[in-house]
């Protein structure tokens, strides 16, 4: 049953903020920051995960601001909501894949995101995918529970070469963890200068980085410049046995390119993000051997939640007080 949580419900003189849906384990972290909104905005928070567009429109009726958790603001939603909504606050960093930012800018609709909230969480998850592909802990657990003591051969990460595509907060955190494993780290990112890297090889060509790596981990933001930047040609450089990890955005890979490369059957992959989410039942990825699939959960961890929820509340307060905290548009 859906609960509706209210703050300052009686303060009809205050602007209204609506959270039309939320992940269940985020409710308590949000509640811990409710006091930040005192005398600034009312909040109406729905405690389920509905993604039905018409229901979201109904729930957001009269809202001045909307907190967006996992919802794509389609053209239909945008047109319905922006008749009254002045601000969207997203519980994530890469908002370009969730809302038409140029349109929002033209229309004067504010958009905020959260920043660096999940650097540790996503980096650790990327490494967890590497560990699962190399040491098969989940599969071994299933074996033992099924009475099988056969075991599986593993691959060490020590002395392997990790190629990182994108070197923002998450990529840098992955590099630090990788150094702890004794891995050799190479980075491709046109915005990073060699003198800012400690013990890391900077590679000018993405194709060269991919060709020379035992593991490739993607940590690029989704922008107009990065959309489709990982092409069929780049992926063709992956050597047999290479692990390909993506906890960033699926759209930074050219449409269909990863599936085409995986169909050759000679590389492994750990994927937490997909062009269409939830992953369709008929997706060829579901039946490919050597591919680990997770439901876009790399960011879902206690520390990330604490930072995300606080930043969302700060963005709301800032907006209603005339500031621009975490404003993207």
């Amino acid at each position: 049953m859906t609960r509706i949580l209210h703050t300052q419900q009686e303060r009809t003189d205050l602007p209204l903020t609506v959270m039309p849906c939320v992940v269940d384990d985020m409710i308590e972290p949000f509640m811990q920051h409710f006091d930040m909104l005192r005398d600034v905005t009312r909040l109406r928070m729905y405690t389920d995960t509905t993604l039905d567009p018409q229901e979201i429109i109904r729930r957001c009726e009269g809202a001045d601001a909307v907190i967006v958790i996992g919802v794509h603001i389609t053209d239909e939603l945008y047109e319905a909501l922006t008749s009254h909504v002045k601000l969207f606050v997203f519980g994530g960093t890469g908002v370009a894949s969730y809302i038409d930012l140029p349109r929002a800018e033209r229309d004067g609709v504010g958009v905020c995101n959260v920043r660096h909230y999940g650097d540790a969480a996503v980096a650790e998850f990327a490494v967890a995918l590497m560990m699962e592909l190399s040491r098969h802990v989940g599969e071994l657990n299933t074996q033992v529970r099924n009475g099988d003591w056969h075991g599986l051969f593993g691959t060490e990460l020590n002395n392997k070469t990790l190629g990182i595509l994108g070197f923002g907060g998450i990529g840098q955190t992955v590099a630090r963890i990788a150094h702890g494993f004794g891995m050799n780290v190479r980075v491709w990112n046109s915005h990073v200068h060699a003198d800012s890297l400690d013990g890391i090889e900077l590679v000018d060509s993405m194709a060269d980085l991919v060709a020379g790596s035992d593991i490739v981990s993607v940590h690029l933001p989704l922008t107009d410049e990065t959309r489709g930047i990982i092409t069929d040609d780049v992926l063709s450089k992956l050597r047999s046995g290479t692990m390909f990890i993506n906890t960033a955005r699926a759209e930074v890979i050219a449409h269909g390119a990863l599936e085409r490369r995986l169909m050759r059957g000679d590389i492994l992959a750990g994927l937490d993000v997909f062009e269409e989410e939830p992953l369709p039942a008929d997706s060829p990825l579901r039946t490919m051997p050597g591919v680990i699939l997770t439901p876009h959960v790399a960011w879902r961890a206690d520390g990330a939640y604490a930072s995300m929820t606080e930043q969302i509340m700060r963005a709301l307060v800032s907006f209603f007080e005339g500031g621009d905290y975490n404003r993207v548009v």
Side-chain angles (χ1 to χ4, degrees), residues 167 172 187-204:
F167 208 57
Q172 292 172 43
V187 169
W188 177 87
N189 190 320
S190 60
H191 299 93
V192 175
H193 301 288
D195 57 7
S196 68
L197 307 175
D198 182 18
I200 293 173
E201 180 186 354
L202 186 66
V203 180
D204 292 331

Side-chain angles (χ1 to χ4, degrees), residues 116 118-124 126-127 130 157 162 164 166-187 196-201 217 219:
H116 297 294
D119 287 359
V122 177
E124 290 171 7
V127 175
M130 298 176 204
L157 297 182
L162 171 65
I164 299 177
F167 208 57
I170 297 171
Q172 292 172 43
T173 304
V174 170
R176 289 196 294 272
I177 298 171
H179 275 153
F181 278 100
M183 302 176 74
N184 306 305
V185 179
R186 310 170 79 220
V187 169
S196 68
L197 307 175
D198 182 18
I200 293 173
E201 180 186 354
S217 194
H219 301 288

